[in-house]
Amino acid sequence: GLFGILMGFTIARIGFGDYKEVHNLFTLADFRILLTFALAVVVAMIGFAVLARGKSLPKKKIHPGTAIGGVLFGTGWAITGACPSIALVQMGVGYIPAIATGVGIFIGAYVYKHVHARFFRWDAGSCEV
């Protein structure tokens, strides 16, 4: 919980929770957040390399829904200015429209569960390594 609060505070402080900043990212008007993302990826890569201690990670096949899921996720993020974690940060700082984003996230997850079960039936996999 403490790590989540610290992370939320940091995200809000650097502007990731601000719709205008996210809009500037997607319209390529300001590269600050994009560069922050790039730095985060580099730090994560270094962290994974250190944790792996020279071992290679197991290969996983690409999930059939990855491309369409990425497009839907990116579209929702561009429209609302928030991914799921940012919506929580926005709610935490009192940005009222984030409540609608949060409701949309839960509706999307509910709809996905039922649409996937009825039409796709491919292995959704898991988050375990």
Side-chain angles (χ1 to χ4, degrees), residues 2 4 7 14 21-22 27 29 34 36 39 41 79-80 89 96 102 111-112 114 120 126 128:
L2 182 60
M7 182 75 166
I14 62 176
E21 292 288 336
V22 176
T27 59
L34 183 63
T36 304
L39 178 63
V41 168
I79 291 169
T80 64
V89 170
I96 302 301
V111 168
Y112 167 78
H114 294 287
F120 300 112
S126 70
E128 59 189 49

mmCIF file of all heavy atoms in Angstrom, residues 2 4 7 14 21-22 27 29 34 36 39 41 79-80 89 96 102 111-112 114 120 126 128:
data_model
loop_
_atom_site.group_PDB
_atom_site.id
_atom_site.type_symbol
_atom_site.label_atom_id
_atom_site.label_comp_id
_atom_site.label_asym_id
_atom_site.label_seq_id
_atom_site.Cartn_x
_atom_site.Cartn_y
_atom_site.Cartn_z
ATOM 1 N N LEU A 2 1.901 1.251 0.808
ATOM 2 C CA LEU A 2 2.769 2.429 0.888
ATOM 3 C C LEU A 2 3.445 2.693 -0.455
ATOM 4 O O LEU A 2 3.533 3.839 -0.905
ATOM 5 C CB LEU A 2 3.814 2.234 1.990
ATOM 6 C CG LEU A 2 4.760 3.399 2.211
ATOM 7 C CD1 LEU A 2 3.981 4.655 2.610
ATOM 8 C CD2 LEU A 2 5.770 3.057 3.289
ATOM 9 N N GLY A 4 2.275 1.887 -3.372
ATOM 10 C CA GLY A 4 1.237 2.397 -4.269
ATOM 11 C C GLY A 4 0.957 3.870 -4.038
ATOM 12 O O GLY A 4 0.788 4.633 -4.990
ATOM 13 N N MET A 7 3.931 5.765 -5.389
ATOM 14 C CA MET A 7 3.889 5.748 -6.846
ATOM 15 C C MET A 7 2.816 6.708 -7.353
ATOM 16 O O MET A 7 3.053 7.467 -8.296
ATOM 17 C CB MET A 7 3.608 4.317 -7.329
ATOM 18 C CG MET A 7 3.586 4.171 -8.803
ATOM 19 S SD MET A 7 5.246 4.213 -9.428
ATOM 20 C CE MET A 7 4.955 3.609 -11.068
ATOM 21 N N ILE A 14 4.591 14.438 -11.410
ATOM 22 C CA ILE A 14 5.299 14.668 -12.664
ATOM 23 C C ILE A 14 4.353 14.972 -13.824
ATOM 24 O O ILE A 14 4.802 15.257 -14.927
ATOM 25 C CB ILE A 14 6.232 13.497 -13.036
ATOM 26 C CG1 ILE A 14 5.462 12.206 -13.253
ATOM 27 C CG2 ILE A 14 7.321 13.322 -12.022
ATOM 28 C CD1 ILE A 14 6.320 11.059 -13.712
ATOM 29 N N GLU A 21 -1.354 17.094 -20.247
ATOM 30 C CA GLU A 21 -0.019 16.512 -20.469
ATOM 31 C C GLU A 21 -0.098 15.249 -21.322
ATOM 32 O O GLU A 21 0.707 15.043 -22.225
ATOM 33 C CB GLU A 21 0.660 16.192 -19.132
ATOM 34 C CG GLU A 21 1.042 17.398 -18.329
ATOM 35 C CD GLU A 21 2.215 18.166 -18.912
ATOM 36 O OE1 GLU A 21 3.023 17.578 -19.655
ATOM 37 O OE2 GLU A 21 2.306 19.367 -18.627
ATOM 38 N N VAL A 22 -1.070 14.397 -21.041
ATOM 39 C CA VAL A 22 -1.241 13.156 -21.811
ATOM 40 C C VAL A 22 -1.666 13.494 -23.235
ATOM 41 O O VAL A 22 -1.194 12.882 -24.199
ATOM 42 C CB VAL A 22 -2.236 12.207 -21.119
ATOM 43 C CG1 VAL A 22 -2.497 10.977 -21.959
ATOM 44 C CG2 VAL A 22 -1.707 11.807 -19.744
ATOM 45 N N THR A 27 -0.396 13.896 -29.133
ATOM 46 C CA THR A 27 -0.350 14.770 -30.302
ATOM 47 C C THR A 27 1.081 15.155 -30.647
ATOM 48 O O THR A 27 1.307 15.961 -31.556
ATOM 49 C CB THR A 27 -1.181 16.044 -30.064
ATOM 50 O OG1 THR A 27 -0.671 16.734 -28.916
ATOM 51 C CG2 THR A 27 -2.655 15.717 -29.891
ATOM 52 N N ALA A 29 3.069 17.003 -29.144
ATOM 53 C CA ALA A 29 3.343 18.411 -28.883
ATOM 54 C C ALA A 29 4.420 18.586 -27.814
ATOM 55 O O ALA A 29 5.078 19.623 -27.759
ATOM 56 C CB ALA A 29 2.064 19.124 -28.453
ATOM 57 N N LEU A 34 6.892 11.217 -23.036
ATOM 58 C CA LEU A 34 7.408 10.144 -23.877
ATOM 59 C C LEU A 34 8.827 9.762 -23.455
ATOM 60 O O LEU A 34 9.163 8.582 -23.339
ATOM 61 C CB LEU A 34 7.387 10.556 -25.346
ATOM 62 C CG LEU A 34 7.826 9.501 -26.348
ATOM 63 C CD1 LEU A 34 6.897 8.305 -26.314
ATOM 64 C CD2 LEU A 34 7.888 10.100 -27.750
ATOM 65 N N THR A 36 10.087 10.218 -20.512
ATOM 66 C CA THR A 36 9.969 9.599 -19.195
ATOM 67 C C THR A 36 9.604 8.130 -19.333
ATOM 68 O O THR A 36 10.158 7.273 -18.641
ATOM 69 C CB THR A 36 8.919 10.339 -18.343
ATOM 70 O OG1 THR A 36 9.278 11.716 -18.263
ATOM 71 C CG2 THR A 36 8.835 9.751 -16.947
ATOM 72 N N LEU A 39 12.700 6.259 -20.468
ATOM 73 C CA LEU A 39 13.612 6.056 -19.343
ATOM 74 C C LEU A 39 13.105 4.940 -18.436
ATOM 75 O O LEU A 39 13.885 4.095 -17.978
ATOM 76 C CB LEU A 39 13.789 7.347 -18.553
ATOM 77 C CG LEU A 39 14.681 7.259 -17.317
ATOM 78 C CD1 LEU A 39 16.114 6.897 -17.725
ATOM 79 C CD2 LEU A 39 14.666 8.565 -16.553
ATOM 80 N N VAL A 41 11.319 2.379 -19.308
ATOM 81 C CA VAL A 41 11.553 1.105 -19.996
ATOM 82 C C VAL A 41 13.007 0.682 -19.837
ATOM 83 O O VAL A 41 13.299 -0.486 -19.555
ATOM 84 C CB VAL A 41 11.154 1.205 -21.486
ATOM 85 C CG1 VAL A 41 11.653 0.006 -22.268
ATOM 86 C CG2 VAL A 41 9.652 1.343 -21.617
ATOM 87 N N ILE A 79 -8.398 8.985 -25.547
ATOM 88 C CA ILE A 79 -9.680 9.685 -25.365
ATOM 89 C C ILE A 79 -9.825 10.210 -23.943
ATOM 90 O O ILE A 79 -10.222 11.357 -23.722
ATOM 91 C CB ILE A 79 -10.863 8.760 -25.716
ATOM 92 C CG1 ILE A 79 -10.876 8.492 -27.218
ATOM 93 C CG2 ILE A 79 -12.194 9.365 -25.259
ATOM 94 C CD1 ILE A 79 -11.838 7.395 -27.632
ATOM 95 N N THR A 80 -9.499 9.371 -22.962
ATOM 96 C CA THR A 80 -9.737 9.754 -21.559
ATOM 97 C C THR A 80 -8.540 10.412 -20.897
ATOM 98 O O THR A 80 -8.678 11.037 -19.850
ATOM 99 C CB THR A 80 -10.101 8.516 -20.711
ATOM 100 O OG1 THR A 80 -8.980 7.623 -20.685
ATOM 101 C CG2 THR A 80 -11.332 7.821 -21.267
ATOM 102 N N VAL A 89 -5.030 7.524 -9.986
ATOM 103 C CA VAL A 89 -4.300 8.719 -9.543
ATOM 104 C C VAL A 89 -5.185 9.951 -9.715
ATOM 105 O O VAL A 89 -5.258 10.797 -8.821
ATOM 106 C CB VAL A 89 -2.975 8.874 -10.330
ATOM 107 C CG1 VAL A 89 -2.331 10.219 -10.065
ATOM 108 C CG2 VAL A 89 -2.018 7.743 -9.991
ATOM 109 N N ILE A 96 -12.760 14.711 -11.059
ATOM 110 C CA ILE A 96 -14.069 14.050 -11.094
ATOM 111 C C ILE A 96 -14.313 13.247 -12.384
ATOM 112 O O ILE A 96 -14.851 12.134 -12.304
ATOM 113 C CB ILE A 96 -15.204 15.074 -10.857
ATOM 114 C CG1 ILE A 96 -15.012 15.788 -9.521
ATOM 115 C CG2 ILE A 96 -16.564 14.411 -10.948
ATOM 116 C CD1 ILE A 96 -14.994 14.881 -8.309
ATOM 117 N N GLY A 102 -13.013 5.246 -14.740
ATOM 118 C CA GLY A 102 -13.002 4.047 -13.897
ATOM 119 C C GLY A 102 -14.188 3.144 -14.172
ATOM 120 O O GLY A 102 -14.049 1.922 -14.283
ATOM 121 N N VAL A 111 -17.340 -6.724 -20.156
ATOM 122 C CA VAL A 111 -17.724 -7.050 -21.534
ATOM 123 C C VAL A 111 -16.701 -7.994 -22.150
ATOM 124 O O VAL A 111 -17.049 -8.970 -22.816
ATOM 125 C CB VAL A 111 -17.883 -5.768 -22.380
ATOM 126 C CG1 VAL A 111 -17.992 -6.078 -23.867
ATOM 127 C CG2 VAL A 111 -19.094 -4.968 -21.915
ATOM 128 N N TYR A 112 -15.399 -7.721 -21.926
ATOM 129 C CA TYR A 112 -14.350 -8.583 -22.480
ATOM 130 C C TYR A 112 -14.539 -10.029 -22.022
ATOM 131 O O TYR A 112 -14.454 -10.952 -22.818
ATOM 132 C CB TYR A 112 -12.960 -8.100 -22.069
ATOM 133 C CG TYR A 112 -11.908 -9.134 -22.368
ATOM 134 C CD1 TYR A 112 -11.429 -9.301 -23.659
ATOM 135 C CD2 TYR A 112 -11.426 -9.984 -21.372
ATOM 136 C CE1 TYR A 112 -10.488 -10.275 -23.957
ATOM 137 C CE2 TYR A 112 -10.493 -10.956 -21.655
ATOM 138 C CZ TYR A 112 -10.024 -11.090 -22.951
ATOM 139 O OH TYR A 112 -9.105 -12.064 -23.235
ATOM 140 N N HIS A 114 -17.164 -11.680 -21.193
ATOM 141 C CA HIS A 114 -18.283 -12.359 -21.839
ATOM 142 C C HIS A 114 -18.085 -12.507 -23.351
ATOM 143 O O HIS A 114 -18.421 -13.542 -23.922
ATOM 144 C CB HIS A 114 -19.594 -11.649 -21.509
ATOM 145 C CG HIS A 114 -19.929 -11.752 -20.053
ATOM 146 N ND1 HIS A 114 -20.365 -12.916 -19.471
ATOM 147 C CD2 HIS A 114 -19.834 -10.847 -19.046
ATOM 148 C CE1 HIS A 114 -20.550 -12.724 -18.168
ATOM 149 N NE2 HIS A 114 -20.230 -11.480 -17.891
ATOM 150 N N PHE A 120 -14.294 -16.030 -28.819
ATOM 151 C CA PHE A 120 -12.885 -16.283 -29.126
ATOM 152 C C PHE A 120 -12.362 -17.596 -28.553
ATOM 153 O O PHE A 120 -11.742 -18.363 -29.242
ATOM 154 C CB PHE A 120 -12.022 -15.106 -28.673
ATOM 155 C CG PHE A 120 -12.403 -13.837 -29.353
ATOM 156 C CD1 PHE A 120 -12.977 -12.798 -28.651
ATOM 157 C CD2 PHE A 120 -12.223 -13.680 -30.709
ATOM 158 C CE1 PHE A 120 -13.345 -11.618 -29.269
ATOM 159 C CE2 PHE A 120 -12.587 -12.509 -31.358
ATOM 160 C CZ PHE A 120 -13.144 -11.478 -30.627
ATOM 161 N N SER A 126 -1.785 -16.323 -18.531
ATOM 162 C CA SER A 126 -1.722 -15.831 -17.158
ATOM 163 C C SER A 126 -0.539 -14.890 -17.024
ATOM 164 O O SER A 126 0.259 -14.743 -17.930
ATOM 165 C CB SER A 126 -1.588 -16.992 -16.180
ATOM 166 O OG SER A 126 -0.318 -17.570 -16.318
ATOM 167 N N GLU A 128 1.789 -15.310 -14.752
ATOM 168 C CA GLU A 128 2.909 -15.982 -14.100
ATOM 169 C C GLU A 128 4.042 -16.235 -15.079
ATOM 170 O O GLU A 128 3.858 -16.340 -16.274
ATOM 171 C CB GLU A 128 2.459 -17.288 -13.458
ATOM 172 C CG GLU A 128 1.858 -18.273 -14.429
ATOM 173 C CD GLU A 128 1.224 -19.442 -13.729
ATOM 174 O OE1 GLU A 128 0.449 -19.235 -12.784
ATOM 175 O OE2 GLU A 128 1.518 -20.568 -14.133
#
